[in-house]
Amino acid sequence: MQLPRNVIAGPGALESVGPICRSMRLKGRALIVTGRNTKGIAGDAVAESLSKNGYDADFLIVESATMENVEKAKRAARDTNAEFLLGVGGGKAIDIAKLASSQLDMYFISVPTAASHDGIASSRASIIQGGKSVSNQAEAPLCVIADTGIIMKSPYRLLAAGCGDIISNYTAVLDWRLAARLRNVYISEYSVALSEMTARMVLDYAHDIKPGLEESVRLVVKALISSSVAMSIAGSSAPASGSEHKFAHMLDQIAPKPALHGEQCGVGTIMMMYLHGGDWQRIRDALKTIGAPTTAKDLGIEDKYIVEALIKAHTIRPERYTILGDKDLPHEAAVNIARTTKVIE
Ligand SMILES: NC(=O)C1=CN([C@@H]2O[C@H](COP(=O)(O)OP(=O)(O)OC[C@H]3O[C@@H](n4cnc5c(N)ncnc54)[C@H](OP(=O)(O)O)[C@@H]3O)[C@@H](O)[C@H]2O)C=CC1
Ligand SMILES: O=C(CO)COP(=O)(O)O
Ligand SMILES: [Zn+2]
């Protein structure tokens, strides 16, 4: 079980990046992997904090979480003689820096600028390989430094997406239990308990998650970290990623303009909860209360892609058995699932 050594979350936490690197006795240059928007939002301030503490840093700007970009990050780290990496931004920059640093056997620091995904503290990295999303084993970050002041200023849509990524733990765990019964896969009850408790926190406090509230940011950041820890305890993403994630990853592959990861996972959770015979209306109501998408229209994705993603979702990570089984869904069944749950009209 691999967990971060230090987790710092609070307003102004970004200033502590340099001092923390010192206290961790990190040596040498740093490579900051960041995004086009997030460089100015936090990347430059991270470089400044490092500089004040005697560290030089270079930047690599990335757009998509592909294996090509992981290789690019590894090359950049070698070319600049970096000795540790920081991922500053959304889930994509963090996953690229996480996998590149693991493969280079270097330390990695996770600096999320949004509460949009639960990979901020996990030992997993979701990377597109050969056109498909692959969940890679990586090292957990040495530290997580989440500046809630920056996250607070990020678009509320990102925070609502993070809630979708957490709520998806409900169906992920149902799928994991099903796979344990049908396929005899290993299941960790400790990880299950943490994963479900995290999803329950967001469901129970959905009314308190609102734009402009510091408490909302704190609650969601804590939940994302504990969901990350559930994955690290399991040694896989199973407690946080099941059929609803297969659906979301398939949409990323086929929709001309996919929505945010957590938004697609939230909508997937409504439909997969229906398939599991659970209270899908409660999932839908909570997402609505939070202000996260619950329909194809909200996602900005045409109905036909929702249906196609349902039919083909089982082909993502075929080794992970879920309620979707291992065959294409009949077209009519997929339409029925999406219509019954009001995802499409
Ligand atoms: N490893 C794991 O365990 C997990 C991995 N994931 C992965 O994470 C990814 C999803 O993460 P997500 O964050 O949604 O996607 P992105 O990293 O694409 O971020 C979404 C957008 O938000 C922008 N952004 C981030 N922070 C701010 C801010 N403070 N203000 C304004 N804009 C901001 C980014 O800008 P910019 O252009 O700068 O990037 C980007 O355009 C997926 O690839 C998913 O598979 C998800 C869950 C778990
Ligand atoms: O997104 C994740 C959990 O929220 C990671 O899971 P996968 O990449 O394995 O689907
Ligand atoms: Zn996810």
Side-chain angles (χ1 to χ4, degrees):
M1 192 185 300
Q2 217 195 35
L3 302 167
R5 203 159 108 193
N6 243 323
V7 178
I8 290 129
L14 226 53
E15 285 169 25
S16 58
V17 171
I20 282 167
C21 291
R22 281 249 149 271
S23 75
M24 294 278 168
R25 299 187 183 86
L26 295 182
K27 301 221 170 5
R29 293 180 76 88
L31 177 70
I32 301 172
V33 179
T34 187
R36 211 162 279 291
N37 297 307
T38 40
K39 179 178 181 288
I41 291 167
D44 294 333
V46 165
E48 200 180 312
S49 171
L50 286 169
S51 167
K52 277 189 195 154
N53 287 274
Y55 295 101
D56 289 326
D58 298 281
F59 285 102
L60 175 72
I61 296 189
V62 289
E63 271 174 18
S64 48
T66 58
M67 207 36 124
E68 289 75 29
N69 280 335
V70 172
E71 290 303 326
K72 214 177 190 179
K74 284 161 67 181
R75 268 198 308 279
R78 285 194 206 101
D79 292 349
T80 58
N81 293 320
E83 297 205 25
F84 61 100
L85 274 72
L86 299 101
V88 181
K92 291 179 183 164
I94 287 176
D95 275 355
I96 291 167
K98 193 190 285 176
L99 191 57
S101 57
S102 300
Q103 294 185 351
L104 291 168
D105 207 11
M106 287 180 185
Y107 282 125
F108 163 63
I109 298 176
S110 168
V111 186
T113 56
S116 49
H117 64 98
D118 59 6
I120 60 185
S122 76
S123 54
R124 310 295 304 177
S126 309
I127 302 289
I128 312 277
Q129 282 165 257
K132 280 200 166 143
S133 169
V134 176
S135 179
N136 294 273
Q137 180 63 36
E139 304 268 318
L142 179 66
C143 312
V144 180
I145 302 172
D147 190 323
T148 50
I150 298 234
I151 296 171
M152 176 87 194
K153 282 193 229 137
S154 70
Y156 179 73
R157 182 184 168 195
L158 292 167
L159 189 94
C163 295
D165 207 18
I166 298 165
I167 282 177
S168 74
N169 290 10
Y170 274 123
T171 44
V173 164
L174 289 173
D175 284 321
W176 200 9
R177 288 205 185 284
L178 183 70
R181 289 193 294 265
L182 276 178
R183 296 288 152 105
N184 204 33
V185 302
Y186 160 80
I187 189 161
S188 155
E189 288 300 335
Y190 182 20
S191 168
V192 162
L194 186 58
S195 170
E196 286 182 331
M197 184 271 285
T198 306
R200 200 163 49 243
M201 291 281 290
V202 170
L203 210 67
D204 289 351
Y205 289 93
H207 282 100
D208 297 323
I209 301 174
K210 296 189 178 87
L213 266 190
E214 228 244 305
E215 291 79 6
S216 308
V217 171
R218 233 178 306 146
L219 186 139
V220 178
V221 167
K222 277 192 209 164
L224 292 170
I225 291 169
S226 65
S227 191
S228 282
V229 170
M231 285 189 262
S232 295
I233 291 169
S236 86
S237 58
S241 169
S243 47
E244 73 304 314
H245 269 67
K246 288 181 181 237
F247 164 78
H249 291 312
M250 187 46 87
L251 269 185
D252 281 339
Q253 257 176 246
I254 62 170
K257 204 168 165 284
L260 289 168
H261 169 82
E263 294 178 329
Q264 297 183 162
C265 291
V267 172
T269 306
I270 300 171
M271 295 189 286
M272 301 310 148
M273 190 54 101
Y274 163 73
L275 282 182
H276 276 288
D279 190 354
W280 58 270
Q281 291 93 338
R282 186 157 181 236
I283 302 285
R284 184 166 172 265
D285 290 349
L287 290 170
K288 268 195 173 170
T289 302
I290 291 164
T294 60
T295 64
K297 208 164 166 196
D298 294 345
L299 290 173
I301 293 177
E302 277 182 67
D303 293 359
K304 64 176 181 186
Y305 296 113
I306 300 288
V307 173
E308 183 65 14
L310 279 171
I311 293 171
K312 295 275 178 208
H314 73 93
T315 61
I316 303 273
R317 320 261 160 84
E319 70 285 359
R320 179 162 297 165
Y321 192 80
T322 70
I323 194 77
L324 291 168
D326 49 14
K327 287 195 179 66
D328 282 14
L329 299 191
H331 187 269
E332 277 315 305
V335 170
N336 188 36
I337 295 163
R339 281 222 179 108
T340 307
T341 54
K342 300 185 174 35
V343 171
I344 66 171
E345 282 169 15

